[in-house]
Amino acid sequence: MHVCQILKSKSPELISVTPDEPMVEVLRLFRDNNIGFVVVSRSPGECLGTLSERDCCNAVAEYGTEAPIMRVADIMNRSVATCSTEDFLPFVMAIMTERRTRHVLVMDGGAAVGVVSIGDVVKHRLDEALRNEQALHEYIAGTAHH
């Protein structure tokens, strides 16, 4: 399965924040939108970095009570894991495993167009497993269509 097919099944909105935003506001955005990852940018499609829940936890561990008021630019991840819309899901899974990340930013040309999360990977793999199981049941029952 191509990444572009995964993006079609998701909300097309890529949520971003500015580098000057305080971390606490990003945490509120995470809570209000039930997400755990944002792109840091000043304009649509641009990616200066990313910020995840894990990045926020690491900031609190390192900076303590100062972390919530720190600017996103001071704690964001600048080494962003990316893939293209034409990459296949196993390639994205390998990136997640190798980079130990739960989110991979999807790029089309030089523009950020979406994100694939570990939840997306699990959903698509589960759907695939259920389809295979159904096909096997139909084959065993003799009701499979050739």
Side-chain angles (χ1 to χ4, degrees), residues 65-130:
T65 58
E66 297 299 311
I69 58 172
M70 292 178 72
R71 294 174 341 119
V72 166
D74 298 325
I75 58 174
M76 70 183 185
N77 177 14
R78 288 178 170 81
S79 175
V80 180
T82 63
C83 67
S84 81
T85 55
E86 295 306 310
D87 285 328
F88 288 98
L89 187 57
F91 177 75
V92 176
M93 293 167 63
I95 291 172
M96 288 178 171
T97 302
E98 184 179 308
R99 298 280 304 270
R100 298 189 52 81
T101 185
R102 296 179 178 126
H103 303 90
V104 175
L105 190 63
V106 182
M107 303 297 286
D108 188 9
V113 296
V115 64
V116 175
S117 71
I118 191 72
D120 299 326
V121 170
V122 170
K123 178 191 180 309
H124 284 85
R125 285 304 211 189
L126 178 59
D127 290 347
E128 181 181 54
L130 292 173

Side-chain angles (χ1 to χ4, degrees), residues 2 5-6 12 32 46 55 70-71 75 114 122 124 129 134:
H2 282 102
Q5 294 169 292
I6 294 170
D32 295 346
E46 176 188 51
D55 296 325
M70 292 178 72
R71 294 174 341 119
I75 58 174
V122 170
H124 284 85
Q134 181 63 34

